[in-house]
Amino acid sequence: MFQDPVLMSRALTALTLGFHVIFATLGVGVPLLILLAEFLGIRKKDPKYTLMARRWSRGYVVTVAVGVVTGTAIGLQLSLLWPNLMRVAGQTIALPLFMETFAFFFEAIFLGIYLYTWDRFKNPWHHMLLGIPVAVGALFSGFFITTVNSFMNQPVGFDIVDGRLANVSPLEAMFSPAMPTKMAHVLTSAILTSAFILAAIAAVQLLRQRRNQLDKMSIEYHKKGLRLTMTVALIFAIATALVGDFSGKYLAQYQPDKLAAAEWHFETSSEAELILGGWLEDDGEGGYEVRGALKIPYALSILAGGVPNYEVTGLDEFAKEDQPPLFVHYLFDAMVGIGMLLALISFLFVLGRYIKRLNQFSKPMLFAIAAGGPLAMAAIEFGWFFAEFGRQPWALYELMRTSDAATTSANVGWMLVAFAILYAVLGTVTVLVLSRLFKENPVGKELKQSEHRGEAMF
Ligand code: HEB
Ligand code: HEB
């Protein structure tokens, strides 16, 4: 196993992307929240929001730095581990890969200026304007890289002449049919998750207020943070689910094998039911029987086509060796389940503003929010693993098999070990640095300092 280059290449790529995507997701969503907080600070003349923007942007720099390291690792590994993929697809995906680097530099330059000019402007709106290119650059990073993944799921924009790609149009390749839903789902889920992570941090602080001896001002600070982040979370939980529904319709049309594997839909049929949970047993005739699942009538037809009698393609229309692995069912269920839970938590919190008996800051509520942060990040991982395992056995859908795309080098196993150690160290250091950074500058102290600076003036 350790000697199998294809398996090891897949493991190493999954490890690197799984790690990168944590920071990439925060990289896409957090700048938007920083911008919102700074906006509210100026608008409401409330230094608590301004401090929020400052503290979040300080933490953000650390996560960006790790995003760059892991992103660079991906760039290296793409050509080392998948030489055949890059040979065939390099012409089409080089453009967006390059554009991502460009978007990143754009973001990094403005982030630098943003961080060092907090107290340099007479008019605070001018400083806020500098945050806009940061947020835009981050969104574009996410955009460009998602076009690459869309191309792998639905390769277009070229002809095949003698088994080679010819007449390549990189722009057409970027705008593959997979792109619109993927893009929207990646961006909305990234903002949802970033909001929940920041909310979870605030919730943990409030749960520990006694132990940390928070003063009144700091408690108020965290409560305001929760109100802001949970409102954003509610909006984007709804958006993520809506877009997810469109993603389902995209799959039904363009990658029906992925949808069928996710739903254990073995035979093409209309009025298809959605299967939640359960397990598979041999039916004695070379097929499977679904056991112990919750079945929602018509729901799969509605997810796939919008009407209860839509005909959903089953796995029976694909050759055995072309079918995705069936465990993706659990990944899909986990993602959707968490999505529903996050929507419920943020809905109850926001409702608590209007219904007094629903205490927004009760212990159970704070616990639910604290759990929601890590759960949201888990949903991101489940979503990507579902999308990527669901594309198997193809590296480029119906064009190139993953096994044909990989390197034949026998040393990938060692690289896997080395990178696993690197990420473990990097992850630990990140957590240590972030917690040091915030422990040494408690909110109460910083709020007093900002009063000194006169930030309460605007
Ligand atoms: Fe990423 C960063 C690559 C995926 C988002 N990235 C990065 C980097 C790189 C990369 C290289 C660094 C910078 C430069 O340019 O240099 N990615 C990559 C690849 C892939 C990816 C190859 C696969 C295909 N990303 C991704 C995703 C996303 C992203 C999926 C979304 C969601 N990135 C990002 C961001 C950034 C990066 C945002 C910046 C940094 C931070 O963190 O902010
Ligand atoms: Fe998700 C993916 C659906 C939620 C994250 N998603 C995905 C898919 C689908 C879905 C169908 C596939 C696509 C393709 O492949 O193209 N979702 C869905 C639904 C829902 C959801 C229906 C509702 C509930 N998600 C969700 C959440 C999250 C997510 C909550 C987080 C937070 N996903 C995700 C990701 C992914 C997915 C990251 C990958 C990318 C793409 O798009 O692909």
Side-chain angles (χ1 to χ4, degrees), residues 10 20 36 54 78 80 87 127 182-183 216 221 226-227 257-258 285-286 307 310 318 364 391 428 433 436 440:
R10 290 178 65 187
H20 177 65
L36 259 175
R54 276 188 180 234
L78 266 181
L80 274 178
R87 197 171 309 134
H127 182 262
K182 222 174 234 302
M183 180 69 47
K216 243 198 173 131
Y221 169 90
L226 272 183
R227 287 209 186 95
D257 47 340
K258 194 192 277 186
E285 298 161 27
V307 284
Y310 186 84
F318 296 87
R391 194 189 62 232
T428 317
V433 168
R436 268 293 271 285
E440 281 175 5

Side-chain angles (χ1 to χ4, degrees), residues 10 13-15 17-18 21 78 82 85 145-154 178 182 186 250-251 255 257-258 323-325 327-328 331-332 335 380-397 402:
R10 290 178 65 187
T13 306
L15 178 71
L17 278 168
V21 89
L78 266 181
W82 309 101
L85 174 70
I145 207 65
T146 308
T147 63
V148 177
N149 187 265
S150 307
F151 176 82
M152 293 170 69
N153 277 281
Q154 201 58 218
K182 222 174 234 302
V186 165
Y250 154 77
L251 286 186
Q255 292 180 277
D257 47 340
K258 194 192 277 186
Q323 295 179 4
F327 70 81
V328 295
L331 298 171
F332 184 76
M335 170 186 71
I380 295 281
E381 299 282 354
F382 292 142
W384 276 111
F385 277 90
F386 161 54
E388 299 302 283
F389 274 113
R391 194 189 62 232
Q392 300 308 319
W394 306 103
L396 295 172
Y397 187 62
T402 306

Side-chain angles (χ1 to χ4, degrees), residues 12-18 20-21 66-87 90 93-94 96-98 100-101 145 148 415 419 422-423:
L12 180 49
T13 306
L15 178 71
T16 303
L17 278 168
H20 177 65
V21 89
V66 185
V68 173
V69 176
T70 53
T72 310
I74 299 174
L76 262 171
Q77 289 176 9
L78 266 181
S79 32
L80 274 178
L81 302 179
W82 309 101
N84 300 326
L85 174 70
M86 294 311 274
R87 197 171 309 134
I93 62 182
L97 277 176
F98 169 76
E100 195 211 10
T101 309
I145 207 65
V148 177
M415 277 175 70
F419 274 103
L422 171 72
Y423 299 146

Side-chain angles (χ1 to χ4, degrees), residues 121-162:
F121 290 99
K122 282 225 178 69
N123 183 342
W125 290 107
H126 291 165
H127 182 262
M128 198 199 98
L129 288 182
L130 282 173
I132 293 174
V134 177
V136 170
L139 289 178
F140 271 90
S141 283
F143 171 82
F144 287 120
I145 207 65
T146 308
T147 63
V148 177
N149 187 265
S150 307
F151 176 82
M152 293 170 69
N153 277 281
Q154 201 58 218
V156 291
F158 53 84
D159 299 322
I160 297 192
V161 181
D162 301 331

Side-chain angles (χ1 to χ4, degrees), residues 326-346:
L326 292 173
F327 70 81
V328 295
H329 175 65
Y330 296 113
L331 298 171
F332 184 76
D333 280 1
M335 170 186 71
V336 172
I338 294 174
M340 298 297 166
L341 188 67
L342 298 179
L344 181 71
I345 297 172
S346 49

